[in-house]
Amino acid sequence: MNSELSAADVSDRDIQLDPARLPAHVAIIMDGNGRWARQRLLNRVLGHEKGADTVRAIVTASREIGISTLTLYAFSTENWQRSVLEVSALMSLLKKFLESEKPVMMANDIRLNAIGQIERLPDDVQNVLRAVMQATAENQGMRLNLALSYGGRAEIVRMARTIAEKAISGVLEPSSITENTIVDYLYTHDIPDPDLLIRTSGEMRISNFLLWQIAYSELYFTSTLWPDFSKEEYVNILKAYQQRERRFGAA
Ligand code: IPE
Ligand code: IPE
Ligand code: MG
């Protein structure tokens, strides 16, 4: 936990979360698994395994708190550059996570969704992913949105290509293109923009996550490494969010 948050803890200790002012959509860049492992002289993969436990805890906490949509950045388009060993460990962890969490998602009324280049994932992972998405499609309690082989720029390129094709084939008039048209062709077309974006591990960057969608998101950076991130810290961040004034450019 960083010192700024600890200081906030003391003054916020008695402040309760206001259920009426919760962020509808929380997005998280789950970073720091590798450093968590390195600090313990462990293999990076063990950091990812511990990180998966945090994912479980934060998904459950989000559902309990009443968040409508939780988007987790699990694997970026750039993460394919990592070693074959690390990528395959991440893919098998993802598969294991989906299999073990399916009953949890059913029991908690959570609907699973995925954004990104799903077709690049190994076939067995795609199959489990599709099966869990199908099984949970009617669940209404919370939307869990996993960003897998996701890149904000790739998403924008995909949108531009689709719109260009529609314009060429005559079904879309270029002068009729609005911000809503752009949104229609993003992976997130049926999800509201994130109200709050959290990044763990102390890095102060976006790393190609939801570039269009975070235009007016509140940003929160914590130095806590993802495997150490807890429900307590999450609640404190939500409290800090509730102290902020969102203006969206208005006076
Ligand atoms: C985040 O942890 C998980 C993924 C990007 C898949 P990292 O693996 O990036 O951990 P650090 O940044 O090296 O500590
Ligand atoms: C961002 O973390 C991607 C995910 C958390 C999945 P990275 O560790 O890949 O980002 P950089 O390399 O620090 O920018
Ligand atoms: Mg990282």
Side-chain angles (χ1 to χ4, degrees):
M1 203 182 278
N2 67 20
S3 51
E4 195 188 314
L5 193 71
S6 307
D9 280 350
V10 179
S11 57
D12 288 355
R13 197 179 289 147
D14 299 324
I15 300 174
Q16 294 299 307
L17 267 181
D18 176 357
R21 295 185 61 238
L22 283 173
H25 182 179
V26 177
I28 308 182
I29 303 175
M30 311 183 290
D31 197 18
N33 295 350
R35 276 162 282 173
W36 183 93
R38 196 173 61 211
Q39 284 175 357
R40 290 160 180 78
L41 306 176
L42 299 171
N43 188 290
R44 295 178 61 83
V45 172
L46 290 164
H48 295 312
E49 282 177 10
K50 190 72 172 31
D53 294 339
T54 307
V55 174
R56 281 187 192 95
I58 296 305
V59 169
T60 306
S62 300
R63 174 71 178 99
E64 284 168 8
I65 291 164
I67 303 298
S68 304
T69 302
L70 175 68
T71 297
L72 300 176
Y73 202 7
F75 195 86
S76 74
T77 47
E78 289 74 27
N79 288 150
W80 290 112
Q81 300 168 61
R82 296 190 180 192
S83 76
V84 175
L85 223 69
E86 183 171 352
V87 170
S88 73
L90 282 166
M91 292 301 148
S92 59
L93 249 177
L94 172 60
K95 188 178 167 192
K96 225 171 78 182
F97 174 85
L98 292 168
E99 284 166 347
S100 68
E101 294 318 286
K102 183 179 163 190
V104 180
M105 290 185 219
M106 290 311 293
N108 291 294
D109 201 23
I110 296 170
R111 176 180 173 189
L112 181 74
N113 183 57
I115 59 170
Q117 305 161 327
I118 303 311
E119 65 287 351
R120 282 182 79 181
L121 302 175
D123 286 343
D124 58 336
V125 176
Q126 285 190 45
N127 291 340
V128 182
L129 186 63
R130 294 215 167 85
V132 181
M133 278 168 39
Q134 207 168 5
T136 62
E138 305 298 325
N139 292 351
Q140 309 260 320
M142 184 178 86
R143 168 93 70 123
L144 172 61
N145 201 25
L146 292 183
L148 302 169
S149 189
Y150 174 87
R153 288 185 171 181
E155 179 180 38
I156 289 168
V157 168
R158 178 176 172 273
M159 171 275 291
R161 282 187 183 156
T162 313
I163 289 182
E165 280 160 12
K166 291 199 181 283
I168 284 172
S169 66
V171 294
L172 191 68
E173 185 61 44
S175 61
S176 75
I177 295 172
T178 63
E179 291 191 6
N180 287 336
T181 320
I182 305 296
V183 170
D184 283 345
Y185 296 101
L186 297 177
Y187 291 121
T188 50
H189 58 91
D190 59 346
I191 299 169
D193 289 340
D195 299 292
L196 172 64
L197 171 68
I198 301 169
R199 182 173 187 145
T200 60
S201 92
E203 308 298 351
M204 306 271 199
R205 55 178 173 256
I206 299 302
S207 301
N208 204 10
F209 193 40
L210 300 175
L211 298 179
W212 169 278
Q213 296 87 340
I214 59 169
Y216 267 103
S217 303
E218 291 297 322
L219 309 180
Y220 201 104
F221 297 95
T222 167
S223 58
T224 303
L225 302 174
W226 178 250
D228 290 326
F229 192 68
S230 64
K231 180 179 178 181
E232 289 67 39
E233 183 169 5
Y234 186 35
V235 169
N236 281 329
I237 292 171
L238 294 171
K239 286 180 188 172
Y241 166 86
Q242 294 191 331
Q243 303 298 308
R244 293 192 188 178
E245 185 195 351
R246 300 181 76 189
R247 283 200 287 268
F248 300 98

